[in-house]
């Protein structure tokens, strides 16, 4: 059963795409007026040429069988004015022609719903920048406000970025959503409807209006304390007994007046936000603090019990706490902003033979941009002219600049180190690699981890329980034991302050933001907090061989000259034979010969010998290159071949005959090379064997070190999965040091291998290998992101290698290593494992601190200022600082 549906408005010329025909299901359109140019419900003008009927096409995704379609059709036909009905099960759409004078769209939708099926309308998505939304409490207030807006289908609040993404149908506008957010007490700084990115507020926290009011409030608190304790003799009564103004039994001194002014200035924003919280039925810190402040003032003024100091302290210190929380959150947000700032705002393009500087948004695909030394590359593209070294660290995390020449791919945000480059643009600014990275990092922050979901569920119970405890503390001792009720009322207010769960609710998301953005800066794209969490807990890692543990490119590793020939002779003949071959082995041999500067051969009468090799005439002599079987068929005795002096030592695989100048190729040399994972090609004529060439997909230089580093970090099991033959797989496995290898696997067999590993490492703890950890386990699969997509999807975490510029790899994997660099894999695991530790530290430390403070309150050990500074501001700042430690983890060279 489908869970999504999409629709769009019928175009003005409906017949041009067939949408005017009820039977057509090639276009998914919304409803329109099919008369003489009336507007559709979406505002588009439509006609059908008939002039007397309207057509509506609705998305009914749950209508997915003929029985469903029958029910819907029967229900709609009960309406008057229905001319035709066409339910399309395959597309989940319902097309209805009707007489607008007899019925309308709303009635049709009602009849569909009466049949038991929901109608989904086309949704548009807008991102709103709400910089002041910097905590879970703020987000909750906005969510409650959005719940009351008709037409809002879904929303995603992200305090860590200060953005709210809202999905609406045509009945809700951007203005409606903006008004709802502002009615919740938060200003909207911008929207994605206004610009490409909803911009974050850049105003300094410490010079903002809130900060100025806070510092002013602090001055009044200081004045109040000065008169209350140091200048007690000058602390005259202003209101009440002996004062200039009489106000019943209430007495207000100079110190009290200063405290009241502190509350008036510093508490204004708090009480205002508390009002919005109450209006939106959100029990958050603003409402709790407003209750505490107003409660203290009510007792002071209404009952003559002086709690002005407590009210002023709450107003001032909580305002300081809010500033600290905003500053801490801005630090986390800035890590993402740094990614956004990698790409320049302007580009120099060559148009009509002239250079002009324009905004990057105005650069089109096919334009040629000019990049001079030291400048950032503004767009994805390919080098059309010029040579230079490009620093790709901002995208791939590579520490060494990469040489770029004509035809090479470059990415937006990378830096041109040396030469001049002309680059042909291959993607729009909104769709380049950097934009996709930023978008995925932003999306990743909305992907909640299991711990985050647990903490949020816990918070739903925490606040009511602590509030209930606060009421008991404030009421029971005075009523039951005759204790001073003012003292215990203050204790109750202190518990009200501690009842806000903000500190531990924010503990996971700020850690996830820090980890994901830190990884992105180092060339690792993590597509969700849940993937970060899962990667830190895996106990087994499975590697694809080709392109992951090996370079993925065949190269010549050994040249063995025979019967008096030199290496150059062997390569010259091999190149002539393989020059017309399209086989990867032939391409590797030609590349080696080119690199060695070997001269060309005249080639005639080329023939491919299927399954065995190739034949051609070189300089009038017939030559062959291919498998040992080919030369056995030609009648050669491969057990007794004369070796050229010095030509075999490099292979260390010879077995010389008694004269010490003969080589047994068939039994010793060829198998020895094959045991090293190499493919052997023999070269010769019909009369003479000239030499042997070994070709292999070389193991990456850092593969063995990466495997060992993962083992040192605590990974229990490392396995290689490959479709290659057993002998080659064994050779590679031994070189890199994996614990196990599985060869000859088809894609579906790789999936089965991953499922088997998951059963083992996701199973009961007693059935798993010794680990010493209490993690939930799991399996990571590392591959190229395209050929290994099924296995990547099956694994607990799928990790794609070398994903920069590769759409498929970016989309299929949970995590993408942007560069072709295995050293990033141990870094990734280390970062993820440490992130999980930081999350645990943050959650349990904040909970423990809150619990300890709450228990100590009834014993008079926690003054109200300590509850604010330690339980709220202190914990939030400490949690954010602890999370930002993840930015210090950087990839470590495997050669250290």
């Amino acid at each position: 059963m489908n869970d999504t549906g999409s629709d769009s408005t019928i175009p003005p010329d409906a017949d041009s795409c067939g949408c005017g025909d009820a039977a057509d299901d090639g276009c998914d359109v919304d409803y329109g007026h099919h008369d003489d140019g009336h507007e559709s419900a979406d505002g588009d003008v439509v006609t059908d040429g008939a002039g007397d009927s309207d057509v509506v096409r609705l998305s009914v995704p749950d209508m997915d069988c003929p029985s469903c379609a029958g029910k819907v059709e029967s229900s709609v036909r009960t309406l008057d004015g229905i001319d035709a009905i066409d339910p399309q099960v395959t597309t989940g759409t319902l097309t209805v022609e009707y007489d607008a004078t007899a019925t309308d769209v709303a009635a049709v939708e009602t009849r569909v719903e009466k049949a038991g099926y929901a109608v989904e309308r086309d949704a548009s998505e807008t991102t709103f920048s709400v910089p002041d939304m910097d905590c879970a409490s703020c987000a909750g207030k906005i969510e409650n406000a959005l719940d009351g807006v008709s037409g809002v289908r879904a929303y995603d609040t992200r305090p860590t970025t200060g953005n709210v993404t809202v999905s609406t149908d045509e009945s809700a506008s951007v203005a409606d959503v903006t008004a709802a957010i502002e009615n919740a007490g938060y200003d909207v700084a911008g929207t994605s409807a206004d610009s490409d990115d909803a911009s974050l507020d850049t105003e300094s926290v410490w010079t903002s209006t809130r900060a100025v009011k806070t510092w002013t409030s602090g001055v009044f608190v200081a004045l109040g304390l000065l008169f209350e304790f140091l200048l007690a003799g000058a602390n005259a009564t202003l209101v009440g007994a002996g004062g200039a103004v009489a106000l019943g039994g209430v007495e207000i001194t100079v110190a009290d007046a200063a405290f009241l002014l502190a509350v008036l200035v510093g508490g204004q924003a708090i009480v205002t936000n508390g009002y919005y919280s109450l209006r939106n039925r959100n029990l958050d810190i603003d409402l709790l603090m407003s209750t505490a402040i107003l409660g203290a003032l009510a007792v002071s003024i209404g009952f003559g019990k002086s709690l002005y100091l407590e009210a002023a302290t709450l107003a001032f210190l909580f305002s300081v706490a809010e500033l600290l929380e905003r500053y801490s959150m801005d630090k986390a947000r800035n890590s993402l902003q740094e990614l956004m700032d990698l790409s320049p705002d302007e580009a120099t393009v060559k148009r009509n033979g002239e250079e002009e500087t324009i905004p990057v948004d105005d650069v089109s695909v096919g334009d040629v941009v000019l990049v001079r030394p030291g400048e950032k590359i503004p767009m994805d593209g390919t080098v059309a002219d010029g040579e230079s070294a490009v620093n790709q660290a901002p995208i791939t995390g590579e520490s060494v600049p990469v040489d770029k020449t004509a035809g090479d791919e470059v990415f937006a945000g990378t830096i041109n180190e040396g030469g001049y480059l002309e680059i042909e643009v291959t993607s729009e600014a909104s769709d380049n690699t950097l934009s996709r990275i930023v978008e995925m990092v932003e999306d990743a922050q909305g992907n909640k981890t299991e711990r985050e979901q647990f903490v949020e569920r816990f918070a739903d119970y925490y606040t009511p329980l602590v509030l209930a405890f606060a009421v008991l503390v404030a009421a029971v001792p005075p009523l039951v034991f005759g204790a001073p009720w003012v003292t215990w009322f203050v204790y109750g207010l202190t518990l009200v302050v501690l009842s806000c769960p903000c500190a531990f609710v924010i503990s996971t998301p700020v850690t996830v933001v820090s980890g994901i953005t830190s990884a992105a800066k180092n060339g690792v794209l993590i597509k969700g907090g849940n993937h970060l969490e899962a990667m830190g807990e895996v106990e087994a890692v499975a590697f694809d061989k080709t392109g992951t543990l090996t370079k993925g490119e065949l190269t010549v590793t050994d040249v063995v000259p025979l019967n008096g020939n030199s290496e150059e002779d062997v390569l010259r003949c091999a190149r002539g034979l393989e020059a017309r071959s399209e086989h990867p082995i032939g391409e590797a041999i030609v590349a080696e010969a080119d690199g060695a500067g070997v001269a060309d051969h005249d080639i005639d009468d080329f023939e491919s010998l299927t399954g065995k090799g190739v034949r051609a005439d070189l300089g009038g002599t017939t030559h062959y290159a291919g498998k040992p079987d080919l030369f056995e068929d030609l009648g050669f005795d491969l057990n007794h071949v004369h070796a050229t002096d010095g030509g075999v030592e490099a292979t260390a695989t010879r077995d010389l005959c008694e004269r010490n100048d003969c080589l047994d190729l068939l039994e010793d040399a060829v198998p020895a090379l094959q045991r090293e994972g190499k493919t052997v090609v023999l070269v010769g004529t019909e009369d003479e064997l000239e030499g042997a060439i070994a070709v292999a997909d070389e193991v990456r230089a850092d593969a063995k070190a990466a495997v060992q580093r993962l083992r040192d970090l605590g990974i229990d099991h490392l396995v290689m999965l490959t479709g290659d033959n057993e002998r080659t797989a064994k050779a590679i496995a031994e070189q890199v040091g994996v614990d196990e290898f599985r060869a000859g696997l088809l894609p579906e067999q790789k999936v089965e291998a991953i499922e088997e590993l998951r059963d083992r490492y996701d199973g009961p703890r007693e059935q798993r290998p010794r680990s010493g950890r209490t993690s939930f386990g799991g399996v990571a699969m590392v591959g190229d992101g395209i050929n290994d997509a099924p296995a990547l999807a099956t694994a607990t975490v799928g990790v794609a290698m070398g994903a920069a510029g590769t759409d498929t790899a970016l989309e299929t994997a949970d995590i993408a290593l942007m560069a072709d660099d295995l050293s990033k894999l141990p870094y990734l695991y280390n970062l993820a494992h440490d992130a999980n530790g930081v999350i645990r530290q943050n959650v349990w430390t904040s909970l423990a601190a809150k619990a300890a403070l709450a228990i100590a309150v009834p014993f008079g050990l926690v003054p109200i200022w300590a509850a604010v500074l330690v339980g709220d501001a202190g914990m939030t700042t400490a949690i954010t600082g602890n999370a930002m430690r993840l930015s210090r983890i950087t990839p470590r060279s495997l050669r250290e």
Side-chain angles (χ1 to χ4, degrees):
M1 187 169 63
N2 299 329
D3 59 356
T4 59
S6 62
D7 43 45
S8 60
T9 307
I10 297 176
D13 186 7
D15 290 337
S16 66
C17 69
C19 296
D21 297 326
D24 178 70
D25 62 359
C27 296
D28 191 11
V29 296
D30 207 299
Y31 44 83
H33 225 41
H34 274 213
D35 52 28
D36 299 324
H38 292 82
E39 287 191 349
S40 72
D42 284 351
D44 290 336
V45 179
V46 294
T47 62
D48 68 347
D52 58 0
S53 66
D54 286 10
V55 174
V56 59
R57 195 169 197 182
L58 304 174
S59 175
V60 189
D62 292 341
M63 184 183 65
D64 52 12
C65 66
S67 174
C68 307
K71 281 188 285 186
V72 170
E73 184 173 356
S74 298
S75 181
V76 173
R77 282 204 183 277
T78 61
L79 293 172
D80 294 332
I82 299 298
D83 298 328
I85 303 175
D86 181 25
Q88 291 289 329
V89 173
T90 54
T91 59
T93 57
L94 175 72
T95 303
V96 181
E97 288 190 28
Y98 63 96
D99 181 354
T101 62
T103 189
D104 56 21
V105 173
V108 174
E109 290 180 342
T110 299
R111 292 313 306 170
V112 173
E113 291 168 352
K114 290 284 187 182
Y117 297 90
V119 176
E120 289 193 1
R121 295 187 176 184
D122 192 23
S124 61
E125 192 173 86
T126 307
T127 298
F128 298 79
S129 176
V130 189
D132 292 335
M133 182 190 67
D134 52 14
C135 65
S137 169
C138 308
K141 210 181 304 182
I142 290 173
E143 289 170 0
N144 286 347
L146 293 176
D147 285 336
V149 179
S150 176
V152 170
R153 292 176 52 178
Y155 49 74
D156 181 16
T157 53
R158 299 179 183 175
T160 48
T161 59
N163 286 337
V164 180
T165 300
V166 184
S167 177
T168 62
D169 60 30
E170 67 276 2
S171 65
S173 65
V174 170
D176 295 333
V177 176
T178 300
I181 294 174
E182 291 177 344
N183 286 337
Y186 298 90
D187 292 332
V188 175
T191 73
S192 56
D194 303 326
S195 61
D196 289 337
D197 293 298
S199 58
L200 293 175
D201 185 11
T202 57
E203 181 185 29
S204 171
V205 171
W206 308 115
T207 58
S208 63
T209 302
R210 179 74 180 268
V212 171
K213 290 182 178 180
T214 300
W215 309 140
T216 305
S217 174
V219 170
F220 285 123
V221 170
L223 285 174
L225 292 172
L226 182 66
F227 280 99
E228 182 81 16
F229 298 105
L230 298 181
L231 301 176
N235 190 21
T237 300
L238 301 178
V239 175
V245 179
L247 190 63
V250 178
E251 183 176 313
I252 298 178
T253 64
V254 172
D256 294 336
F259 292 142
L260 280 170
L261 288 172
V263 172
L264 181 65
V265 176
Q268 176 187 354
I270 300 171
V271 174
T272 300
N273 289 336
Y275 160 74
Y276 285 119
S277 299
L278 181 63
R279 193 170 77 173
N280 289 286
R281 303 179 303 281
N282 194 58
L283 187 62
D284 63 2
I285 186 62
D286 291 317
L287 181 56
L288 296 171
M289 290 300 300
S290 297
T291 301
I293 292 170
L294 295 177
L297 291 179
V299 169
S300 302
I301 296 173
F303 300 95
K305 305 294 184 180
S306 181
L307 295 180
Y308 301 111
L309 172 59
E310 285 75 7
T313 304
L314 281 174
F316 170 64
L317 292 181
F318 181 67
S319 293
V320 172
E322 290 283 275
L323 294 176
L324 286 171
E325 185 176 82
R326 177 66 183 276
Y327 172 71
S328 299
M329 189 58 65
D330 281 352
K331 288 181 66 178
R333 290 176 181 175
N334 287 340
S335 60
L336 176 60
Q337 190 66 42
E338 289 171 8
L339 286 177
M340 298 177 180
D341 292 340
L342 286 175
S343 182
D345 296 325
E346 295 181 328
T348 301
V349 300
K350 182 190 289 185
R351 289 178 176 173
N352 301 320
E354 296 183 358
E355 296 182 14
E356 59 178 306
T357 301
I358 61 175
V360 292
D361 291 338
D362 294 339
V363 178
S364 304
V365 174
D367 278 342
V368 174
V369 298
L370 313 180
V371 185
R372 294 176 173 82
E375 294 182 346
K376 289 182 179 179
I377 294 174
M379 308 286 286
D380 280 6
T382 56
V383 177
D385 190 22
E387 297 181 2
S388 181
V390 174
N391 180 358
Q392 298 191 148
I395 300 298
T396 66
E398 294 170 281
S399 57
V400 179
V402 180
D403 291 332
K404 299 289 184 179
T405 58
D408 288 338
E409 186 178 21
V410 292
F411 309 116
T414 56
I415 303 166
N416 181 18
E417 294 279 352
Y420 168 84
L421 292 176
E422 293 188 4
I423 299 166
E424 183 176 346
V425 176
T426 57
S427 63
E428 302 286 349
S430 59
D431 193 39
N432 61 37
T433 302
L434 179 60
S435 297
R436 291 200 301 273
I437 291 173
V438 171
E439 181 181 356
M440 289 180 178
V441 170
E442 288 179 318
D443 290 343
Q445 296 168 17
N447 197 340
K448 295 181 179 179
T449 70
E450 291 185 9
R451 290 187 179 93
E452 188 174 357
Q453 294 176 51
F454 162 76
V455 168
E456 290 184 354
R457 290 193 299 269
F458 177 83
D460 291 338
Y461 296 96
Y462 170 82
T463 299
L465 286 174
V466 177
L467 282 178
F469 183 43
V471 172
L472 292 175
V473 166
V476 172
L479 293 176
V480 177
F481 303 106
W485 73 270
V486 172
T487 300
W488 287 91
F489 181 76
V490 172
Y491 291 167
L493 292 182
T494 306
L495 285 170
V496 168
V497 173
L498 291 173
S499 66
C500 179
C502 284
F504 55 86
V505 168
I506 206 70
S507 59
T508 299
V510 295
T511 306
V512 168
V513 169
S514 178
I516 289 176
T517 53
S518 176
K521 292 175 190 174
N522 287 291
V524 179
L525 179 59
I526 303 172
K527 294 168 62 176
N530 54 339
H531 303 312
L532 177 70
E533 183 179 271
M535 186 64 205
E537 305 289 2
V538 298
E539 297 180 21
V541 176
F543 297 91
D544 171 50
K545 179 184 76 71
T546 305
T548 301
L549 293 174
T550 65
K551 295 179 180 179
E553 299 177 357
L554 292 178
T555 57
V556 173
T557 59
D558 301 87
V559 179
V560 183
L562 303 169
N563 293 311
N565 291 284
S566 67
E567 289 190 9
E568 183 177 348
D569 294 334
V570 177
L571 281 174
R572 186 165 181 251
C573 290
R575 175 186 180 168
L577 290 162
E578 299 288 0
R580 298 183 183 180
S581 171
E582 296 181 355
H583 195 282
I585 292 178
E587 293 175 354
I589 292 173
V590 171
E592 178 70 15
D594 288 342
V598 174
D600 290 335
H601 239 312
D602 293 330
I603 307 170
D604 292 304
D605 196 20
F606 175 85
E607 180 185 0
S608 176
L609 306 174
T610 305
K612 291 191 175 184
V614 295
R615 184 195 65 79
D617 289 345
L618 304 178
T621 303
T622 301
H623 281 70
Y624 297 86
K627 296 179 178 179
D629 292 350
L630 172 62
F631 286 85
E632 282 193 305
D633 292 344
L634 292 172
F636 282 92
D637 180 7
L638 299 182
N639 296 113
H640 194 88
V641 180
H642 286 253
T644 300
D645 289 342
V648 183
E649 277 75 7
T651 67
T653 60
R654 64 178 178 170
D655 179 21
L656 299 181
C657 69
E658 292 180 357
R659 294 200 314 257
N660 202 39
D661 64 354
C662 294
L663 180 68
D664 188 339
L665 287 179
L666 192 62
E667 296 296 330
D668 294 308
V670 171
L673 290 168
Q674 290 175 337
R675 281 195 296 272
E676 296 176 8
K678 301 172 182 177
T679 299
V680 179
V681 176
L682 300 184
V683 181
T685 67
E686 293 177 338
D687 303 317
E688 180 186 63
L689 194 59
E690 297 175 334
I693 299 176
V695 178
D697 180 7
E698 287 189 294
V699 173
R700 292 179 184 272
D702 53 2
K704 183 175 182 179
V707 168
Q708 184 57 48
R709 175 70 175 145
L710 286 171
R711 187 176 284 113
D712 293 341
L713 288 171
I715 297 295
D716 288 328
H717 193 65
L718 297 149
V719 59
M720 183 182 77
L721 307 178
T722 179
D724 214 334
N725 63 73
E726 183 86 11
R727 180 181 291 169
T728 300
K730 182 178 181 182
I732 300 297
E734 289 175 350
Q735 287 184 60
V736 299
V738 294
D739 302 312
E740 177 190 358
F741 73 90
R742 303 186 189 188
L745 301 180
L746 297 172
E748 59 267 25
Q749 292 173 316
K750 286 187 179 182
V751 170
E752 291 172 2
I754 294 294
E755 289 175 341
E756 181 183 325
L757 289 169
R758 286 197 64 173
D759 289 342
R760 181 180 179 188
Y761 287 95
D762 284 344
R765 171 61 52 182
E766 61 273 10
Q767 296 178 11
R768 301 188 213 159
R770 53 127 194 100
S771 170
R773 298 200 308 259
T774 57
S775 62
F776 56 74
V779 179
M781 171 67 191
V782 187
D784 62 14
I786 301 173
N787 298 329
D788 297 307
L792 290 171
T794 304
T796 311
V797 185
V799 182
M801 284 278 294
T806 306
D807 292 345
T808 305
L810 286 174
E811 293 299 327
T812 57
D814 302 319
I815 299 174
L817 307 183
M818 304 304 289
D820 232 9
D821 185 359
L822 266 180
S823 69
K824 298 298 176 64
L825 192 60
Y827 158 74
L828 166 63
Y829 176 76
N830 190 32
L831 175 73
H833 192 63
D834 282 9
N836 286 342
V838 169
I839 290 173
R840 286 190 289 267
Q841 293 166 14
N842 283 348
V843 170
W844 295 114
T845 300
S846 57
L847 280 174
K850 290 268 190 180
L853 290 170
I855 292 171
V857 166
F859 299 97
L861 301 176
V862 182
I864 199 165
W865 62 264
V868 176
L869 283 185
V870 178
D872 190 71
M875 286 310 306
T876 299
T877 304
I879 281 168
T880 305
N882 194 33
M884 297 308 291
R885 288 193 302 112
L886 294 176
S887 62
R888 301 176 187 172
I889 301 175
T890 56
R892 170 179 141 184
S893 172
L894 296 177
R895 295 175 177 83
E896 294 178 0

